[in-house]
């Protein structure tokens, strides 16, 4: 039986073991998947211990995504662009890293929610690790423009500069803008990549950002209609979604990269929604 794990701190709340167990049952893969509480300051040691104990790969969550990128001996294009990784695959002592958050978001938006990103005006709120991971995949999905806004404005500019460096062809479509300066600019999709919802808060979006037919997407999950989604509905967003689908889709991409088999995400997402009491 091949061993996998998710490492983070804290980790008890992680749904990844349930999701991967469901994928394994569905596809007949003989794997185990455990939670590992990574010691702060001891991430590398915990990864090497798991690898030398026969582990085949790991998912990585807060606060180790940067450390996961740094420990790897090779990295995918999307991990290089994000300078952060949530996926590790071991081959002997070689460690390959990837970032499946962005493709997870894109797959949830396009396949599960049926919202076509090509040609849309997209707004990404936040400039932390989660935002870093999704910029390149959103550009690859064909958004016409991608505006990044963050409470701490300099971080949005730094993120634009970082991605423009990794993907020079993106320069014309990507820009950073201060939150108050968004007033009156309409977007087809607004993605909240801040952790504000965890504290029952919303980013300070000005009125008038939701175009007719627009989608509001909050990466936070398991919190019902977050203040960001409540604000979006009041401001005229046509559709709203939390980030549970992204969680399941990024896991499916990880499973595929490890096992070469793509699991069906819909039934797993439905079960999770029921467990967390989220509307379908
Ligand atoms: P992070 O690196 O700590 O970044 C936090 C971001 O949130 C920063 O941009 C920060 O702005 C902003 N922020 C925090 N509180 C805010 C508030 N009250 N108002 C406005 N902005 C606020 O965290 P992260 O890794 O990017 O994760 C962000 C969220 O995405 C987390 O809630 C995480 O659970 C979620 N996430 C979900 C998935 C999924 O699969 N659904 C995957 C990855 C992440 P400043 O720069 O101004 O501090």
């Amino acid at each position: 039986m091949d061993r996998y794990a998710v490492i983070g701190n804290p980790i008890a709340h992680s749904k990844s073991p349930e999701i991967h167990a469901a994928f394994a049952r569905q596809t007949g893969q003989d794997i185990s998947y455990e939670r590992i509480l990574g010691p702060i300051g001891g991430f590398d040691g915990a990864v090497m211990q798991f690898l030398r104990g026969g582990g085949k790969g790991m998912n990585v969550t807060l606060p180790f995504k940067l450390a996961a990128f740094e420990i790897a001996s090779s990295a995918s294009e999307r991990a290089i662009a994000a300078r952060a990784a949530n996926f590790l695959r071991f081959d002997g002592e070689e460690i390959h890293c990837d970032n499946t958050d962005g493709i997870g978001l894109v797959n949830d938006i396009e396949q599960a929610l049926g919202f076509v990103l090509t040609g849309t005006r997209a707004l990404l709120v936040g400039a932390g690790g989660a935002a870093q991971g999704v910029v390149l995949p959103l550009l690859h999905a064909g958004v016409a423009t991608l505006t990044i806004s963050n409470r701490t404005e300099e971080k949005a500019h730094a993120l634009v500069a970082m991605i423009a460096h990794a993907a020079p062809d993106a320069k014309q479509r990507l820009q950073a803008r201060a939150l108050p300066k968004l007033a009156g600019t309409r977007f087809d999709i607004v993605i909240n990549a801040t952790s504000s919802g965890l504290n029952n808060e919303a980013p300070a979006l000005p009125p008038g950002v939701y175009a007719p037919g627009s989608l509001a997407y909050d990466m936070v999950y398991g919190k019902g209609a977050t203040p960001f989604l409540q604000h979006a509905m009041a401001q005229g967003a046509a559709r709203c979604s939390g980030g549970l689908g992204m969680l399941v889709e990024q896991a499916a991409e990880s499973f595929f990269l490890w096992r070469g088999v793509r699991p069906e995400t819909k039934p797993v997402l439905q079960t999770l929604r029921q467990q967390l009491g989220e509307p379908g």
Side-chain angles (χ1 to χ4, degrees):
M1 185 185 276
D2 289 339
R3 285 179 71 202
Y4 298 90
V6 58
I7 183 168
N9 189 328
I11 199 62
H13 67 285
S14 174
K15 295 282 167 210
S16 292
E18 284 98 316
I19 296 172
H20 283 277
F23 288 164
R25 275 194 304 276
Q26 187 199 95
T27 58
Q29 294 284 309
D30 193 18
I31 68 161
S32 70
Y33 190 108
E34 61 206 83
R35 283 182 189 86
I36 294 179
L37 180 67
I40 301 298
F43 173 77
D44 288 13
V47 170
M48 293 315 290
Q49 191 183 352
F50 187 69
L51 181 157
R52 289 180 181 144
K56 297 282 180 194
M58 294 173 113
N59 282 130
V60 181
T61 187
L62 280 173
F64 300 126
K65 290 185 182 182
L66 194 62
F69 178 66
E70 283 167 0
I71 199 179
S73 38
S74 66
S76 68
E77 184 200 12
R78 52 199 182 191
I80 292 169
R83 293 188 201 161
N86 70 335
F87 170 96
L88 299 175
R89 186 177 57 222
F90 308 141
D91 183 9
E93 294 265 316
E94 295 290 302
I95 302 177
H96 175 73
C97 78
D98 204 332
N99 192 318
T100 65
D101 278 340
I103 192 70
L105 174 72
V106 168
N107 284 347
D108 188 38
I109 291 171
E110 295 214 305
Q111 290 168 24
L113 300 175
F115 183 93
V116 178
L117 287 164
T118 311
T120 55
R121 298 159 293 177
L123 171 62
L124 180 65
V125 188
Q132 268 173 245
V134 304
V135 176
L136 193 66
L138 284 169
L139 290 168
H140 282 170
V143 295
T145 58
L146 180 56
T147 303
I148 303 177
S149 295
N150 190 46
R151 180 177 63 181
T152 311
E153 198 186 328
E154 315 85 76
K155 283 200 208 164
H157 286 283
L159 179 51
V160 166
M162 189 177 107
I163 299 291
H165 177 72
D169 63 324
K171 263 185 193 153
Q172 295 74 12
R173 290 188 286 151
L174 190 60
Q175 61 163 333
R177 207 136 155 222
L179 279 161
K181 290 194 184 145
L182 296 172
T185 310
R186 291 189 184 274
F187 296 93
D188 304 303
I189 176 164
V190 180
I191 299 164
N192 183 23
T194 78
S195 49
S196 60
L198 298 178
N199 300 319
N200 219 23
E201 293 171 1
L205 276 172
V209 298
Y210 290 96
S214 57
L215 171 67
Y217 192 102
D218 198 336
M219 284 194 194
V220 167
Y221 56 85
K223 297 273 171 190
T226 58
F228 164 77
L229 292 177
Q230 289 170 27
H231 175 263
M233 283 184 265
Q235 285 289 317
R239 299 177 62 190
C240 287
S241 176
L244 198 57
M246 173 181 174
L247 179 78
V248 174
E249 292 294 342
Q250 65 75 28
E253 183 73 10
S254 294
F255 192 88
F256 173 70
L257 291 172
W258 285 322
R259 310 301 301 178
V261 186
R262 199 168 279 286
E264 261 212 65
T265 50
K266 208 172 169 180
V268 178
L269 180 57
Q270 264 169 3
T271 307
L272 267 184
R273 278 203 210 289
Q274 280 162 6
Q275 279 174 9
L276 293 171
E278 280 209 351

